[in-house]
């Protein structure tokens, strides 16, 4: 009998936790460097975390405006923090909670929410692919790493260029995965109907992606780990897609392993990547587990006081 996804997620999370415990104990002399990062360094990383979240929500705000929904920047940031916080629960619970909130408060249909979310995800993956391809060529990372980013870019471009007529076929109506692709393409068509809107969204997604990369660059710097800036940006880009998979809450442990593996592949050290990623993870968890519950409480009150939307 096949394991249900939630069981697989729990098993993986437990396994990663156990492996992480032994790994940290084995290299405790290196992980102790994290405690030596000064208050000013922590403050800078926290600010960069908040900036990256703010840049992330702006495309969603403008995308939702195409569906006649008006979110303030503060509300959108709260929703983003709450979603990210709740995604540390099994099966990315934050995404479902976000869909329920948008339906109740802003009357956004769940299908429209899925279409918007998937479209923005594809745009981010396309951005990762294009930036990754350029940087991998610049640092001469080798054919294998370059081909990963080229393949990611190509896959995104192919998905976004599926002809409209194909979306009406029985294949897209009956096949679940293909139905999701159809939702992505519909969202993309809404986005591309306004070239100015598209340019702004791409610029914001690119800025948010590079801000996350800058955060990792500073993690390396504050820990006095010697890796080139371009290489770190490439490593950061490579770690972004694993967060989308969602098998393990928050991709905890997996992102750190990917960053370590790419650091090693680029001529560095696996432990170096893992330590830098661990500092970044601690900043992220600290922010989310302080601000996330506050944001969730605030939005829950607003949602409960909202009259039921019809339609």
């Amino acid at each position: 009998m096949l394991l249900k996804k939630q069981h697989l997620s729990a098993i993986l999370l437990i396994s990663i936790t156990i492996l992480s415990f032994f790994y940290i104990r084995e290299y405790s002399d290196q992980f102790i460097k994290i405690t030596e990062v000064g208050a000013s360094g922590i403050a800078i990383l926290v600010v960069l975390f908040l900036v990256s979240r703010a840049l992330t929500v702006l495309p969603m705000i403008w995308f939702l405006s195409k569906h006649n929904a008006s979110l303030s920047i503060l509300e959108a940031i709260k929703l983003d923090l709450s979603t990210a916080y709740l995604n540390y629960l099994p099966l990315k619970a934050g995404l479902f909670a976000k869909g329920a909130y948008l339906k109740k408060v802003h009357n956004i249909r769940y299908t429209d929410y899925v279409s918007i979310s998937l479209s923005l995800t594809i745009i981010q993956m396309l951005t990762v692919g294009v930036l990754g391809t350029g940087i991998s060529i610049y640092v001469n990372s080798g054919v294998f790493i370059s081909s990963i980013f080229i393949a990611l870019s190509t896959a995104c471009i192919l998905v976004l260029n599926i002809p409209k007529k194909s979306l009406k076929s029985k294949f897209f109506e009956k096949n679940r995965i293909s139905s999701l692709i159809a939702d992505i393409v519909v969202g993309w068509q809404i986005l591309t109907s306004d070239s100015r809107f598209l340019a702004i969204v791409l610029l914001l997604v690119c800025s948010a992606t590079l801000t996350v990369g800058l955060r990792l660059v500073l993690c390396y710097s504050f820990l006095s780990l010697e890796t080139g800036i371009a290489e770190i940006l490439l490593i950061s880009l490579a770690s972004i897609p694993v967060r989308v998979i969602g098998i393990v809450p928050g991709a905890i442990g997996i992102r750190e392993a990917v960053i370590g593996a790419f650091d090693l592949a680029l001529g560095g050290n696996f432990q170096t990547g893992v330590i830098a990623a661990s500092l970044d993870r601690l900043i992220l968890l600290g922010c989310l587990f302080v601000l996330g519950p506050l944001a969730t409480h605030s939005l829950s009150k607003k949602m409960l006081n909202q009259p039921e939307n019809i339609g």
Side-chain angles (χ1 to χ4, degrees):
M1 181 178 178
L2 293 175
L3 287 171
K4 292 183 178 180
K5 186 175 180 180
Q6 58 265 40
H7 294 157
L8 177 61
S9 177
I11 291 171
L12 285 174
L13 183 58
I14 292 170
S15 301
I16 289 171
T17 302
I18 293 171
L19 289 172
S20 297
F21 171 78
F22 286 109
Y23 186 85
I24 292 172
R25 190 174 70 171
E26 178 70 20
Y27 296 99
S28 58
D29 57 324
Q30 296 186 44
F31 278 96
I32 199 69
K33 292 180 180 179
I34 293 177
T35 64
E36 299 171 1
V37 177
S40 60
I42 298 297
I44 291 171
L45 292 173
V46 169
V47 169
L48 277 177
F49 168 81
L50 295 174
V51 169
S52 67
R53 303 314 295 195
L55 289 171
T56 299
V57 303
L58 289 176
M60 176 64 80
I61 291 174
W62 285 338
F63 227 140
L64 287 171
S65 70
K66 294 291 183 178
H67 293 274
N68 300 315
S70 178
L71 274 75
S72 68
I73 293 179
L74 179 59
E75 181 186 12
I77 291 175
K78 286 181 181 179
L79 188 56
D80 179 70
L81 289 171
S82 176
T83 302
Y85 164 66
L86 292 174
N87 275 346
Y88 275 87
L89 300 176
L91 296 180
K92 306 195 82 168
L95 294 178
F96 295 102
K98 185 176 184 179
Y101 176 86
L102 291 173
K103 170 62 180 173
K104 180 74 180 290
V105 178
H106 294 284
N107 201 27
I108 297 293
R109 294 182 306 167
Y110 191 75
T111 52
D112 290 333
Y113 161 65
V114 170
S115 174
I116 292 169
S117 298
L118 291 175
S119 298
L120 288 174
T121 298
I122 290 294
I123 291 169
Q124 184 184 36
M125 293 304 102
L126 178 60
T127 302
V128 167
V130 172
L131 290 175
T133 299
I135 296 176
S136 63
I137 293 173
Y138 173 74
V139 301
N140 194 23
S141 63
V143 176
F144 178 71
I145 291 178
S146 297
S147 64
I148 291 174
F149 290 104
I150 292 171
L152 180 60
S153 303
T154 303
C156 292
I157 292 170
L158 289 175
V159 168
L160 295 174
N161 283 278
I162 295 175
K164 291 183 180 181
K165 292 181 180 179
S166 300
L167 301 178
K168 298 178 181 179
S169 68
K170 292 182 179 179
F171 177 73
F172 280 94
E173 292 175 357
K174 295 181 179 181
N175 187 291
R176 184 179 177 184
I177 295 177
S178 300
S179 179
L180 289 176
I181 294 175
D183 286 335
I184 293 171
V185 177
V186 169
W188 175 249
Q189 289 167 356
I190 293 172
L191 180 60
T192 53
S193 63
D194 185 338
S195 57
R196 178 176 173 274
F197 176 75
L198 173 61
I200 292 173
V201 168
L202 289 172
L203 178 61
L204 287 170
V205 171
C206 184
S207 299
T209 303
L210 290 176
T211 302
V212 172
L214 176 59
R215 202 172 71 216
L216 188 61
V217 168
L218 290 178
C219 286
Y220 273 82
S221 176
F222 293 151
L223 293 168
S224 301
L225 302 173
E226 296 183 1
T227 303
I229 293 177
E231 284 80 3
I232 298 172
L233 289 175
L234 187 62
I235 291 167
S236 175
L237 290 169
S239 73
I240 290 176
V242 302
R243 291 182 293 180
V244 178
I245 300 172
I247 296 177
V248 176
I252 194 164
I254 296 178
R255 179 174 181 262
E256 288 76 8
V258 168
I259 288 175
F262 269 82
D263 196 318
L264 180 63
L266 290 170
N269 185 282
F270 182 83
Q271 288 78 22
T272 296
V274 171
I275 293 168
S278 297
L279 172 58
D280 191 51
R281 174 72 69 180
L282 289 173
I283 296 296
L284 185 150
L285 289 177
C287 291
L288 288 184
F289 279 84
V290 171
L291 299 176
L294 296 175
T296 301
H297 176 70
S298 174
L299 295 176
S300 297
K301 287 178 61 178
K302 182 173 182 178
M303 189 174 174
L304 290 173
N305 294 329
Q306 185 75 15
E308 196 70 40
N309 275 315
I310 301 174

